[in-house]
Amino acid sequence: QQQQQQQQQMQQQPQQQQQPPQQQPPQQQQQAAGGAAISVTGCADATVGNIVRGTFSLFGENHGRPVYKKNEPVANNPTLDVLIYFWDERDGASFCGWWFGPKVGGDQVWAYNSERAMAPPPGGWRVPYDGAVDPSFVLATGGQQQPGYGQQQAYGQQQAYGQQQTQQQQQMQQYQQQQQMQQEQMRQQQLQQEQMRQQQMQQEQMRQQQMQQQKQREEEMARQRQQQEEQRRVEQQAVMNCKQIMQKLGPAMPENFDNLKMEVEKLFMAELPKCGSQAEIVKAEGMQIIEATRMRMEQIKQQRAEEERLNNERAEAAKQVLAELAGLVEKAEADTARLKEAAAPVMEAKIMGEDEAKAAGKAVNDVAGDAKASCKACADF
């Protein structure tokens, strides 16, 4: 009964969340003390027995229970660590209990006991972990366990139990006090961790808010850049349109300049507001083009007036020349008529006397000189 009360007290520790283990035979109800050395004997499996048999000393703590480490090196593998440790239900009820393995919580294990006691139980060990209970596998505390196997070993251990009871209870009380202190420390640590978690949550919220604000600022800047880019595109298109409108004045002439100027100014002023920041510059350039075109029209008008004046002068000169030429032609025609008249007697082939012939020849010679001179004057003109 005293042993059962001790097990119930150990099973009521804050870390233990499972129901008390099933009752074991009297030789398996003995618990190894929290801080005492543990001796492991027996084990029907030769390979596992070679690894686990020996003495174990307190090595540390895990999941609210002590951890023990084997003192002697393993034959043929001196670097291999052998630990006895407890694992709680965080990975499932089937993993909760005491284990033999090379490291705490590792995948490799050699033996398993499903009891939730505060110290490694002396019996009820399964080799392998999912096999049957090996009754020869026995743990003893205080180094008083003697070598042996089977039921004789369990019987000797039961005889030694009475002598170890007082020491075990004292050690258990001391261990429980240590566990309470550790629990308080864990509670303080958990409180600090919770405070840190709250602070981290607040910091994370602030970080998220800052990131959201930064994202909003970036989106706003991107939207503004997009609007600016669209505005620049519209302005550039409007500037190009204004330049194209002004190009209509290129072929303008004085006859259509006024009408064309009115049309261009109307289109230009309708497009100008779209030029935005470039409106003033575009307007000034447009006015310059209109003024330059107007001056070009004036030059064309002046050139046309000058050409008309020159044409008039040339026409007047031509008239004078033609009049002079007409006078020369008229004189040449008169001289030619006189020559025909003077040569008529000769041309008619009349029989003339010597005196008449001489007089006719002299008359032809006199008129022929004048006619020749007149015709030459016309040809030289």
Side-chain angles (χ1 to χ4, degrees), residues 45-56:
D45 188 296
T47 301
V48 175
N50 180 59
I51 295 173
V52 301
R53 285 193 292 268
T55 58
F56 290 74

Side-chain angles (χ1 to χ4, degrees), residues 227-243:
Q227 289 180 348
Q228 293 173 356
E229 183 64 25
E230 180 64 19
Q231 181 63 27
R232 282 195 295 269
R233 189 189 66 79
V234 172
E235 290 180 2
Q236 290 175 356
Q237 184 61 43
V239 171
M240 293 296 297
N241 293 341
C242 289
K243 290 182 178 180

Side-chain angles (χ1 to χ4, degrees), residues 17-31:
Q17 300 178 1
Q18 294 296 319
Q19 297 296 327
Q22 296 179 356
Q23 293 293 328
Q24 300 291 337
Q27 66 269 23
Q28 296 181 0
Q29 293 178 357
Q30 180 182 2
Q31 305 294 323

Side-chain angles (χ1 to χ4, degrees), residues 141-157:
T141 59
Q144 299 186 17
Q145 180 65 33
Q146 300 297 324
Y149 299 90
Q151 297 295 329
Q152 294 179 355
Q153 195 175 33
Y155 177 77
Q157 194 169 20

Side-chain angles (χ1 to χ4, degrees), residues 351-363:
I351 298 173
M352 301 176 61
E354 182 178 356
D355 294 336
E356 291 178 344
K358 289 181 180 180
K362 181 178 183 301

